[in-house]
Amino acid sequence: MNVIVDREICGGIGNCVEVAPTVFALDEEDRAVVLDPSSVPEETLMEAAESCPLLAISVLDDNGNQLFP
């Protein structure tokens, strides 16, 4: 799984960090950064991406197919 945060869209709300703190963190600019997507089950990763109200998180499978949004 590949996870991408669009930092231009990210508003630093932090829902993703609450759902998956081993995958996401907020940096000094209050923007989400990806830490370790493999640290949680796929379901948790998708839940974290879906929790972003700004749709700043994209999830792709290993073949590059977009799974979310």
Side-chain angles (χ1 to χ4, degrees), residues 11-24:
I13 296 166
N15 292 350
C16 59
V17 177
E18 287 186 35
V19 175
T22 59
V23 178
F24 299 98

Side-chain angles (χ1 to χ4, degrees), residues 5 12 42 50 52 62 69:
V5 174
E42 184 176 320
E50 292 168 359
C52 178
D62 292 334

Side-chain angles (χ1 to χ4, degrees), residues 1 3 9 12 25 27 33 35-36 39 44-46 48 61 67:
M1 302 282 293
V3 180
I9 297 173
D27 67 9
V33 293
L35 303 175
D36 182 8
S39 65
T44 303
L45 186 60
M46 292 300 288
D61 67 15
L67 302 175

Side-chain angles (χ1 to χ4, degrees), residues 9 11-12 26 30 53 57:
I9 297 173
L26 295 180
D30 280 335
I57 302 170

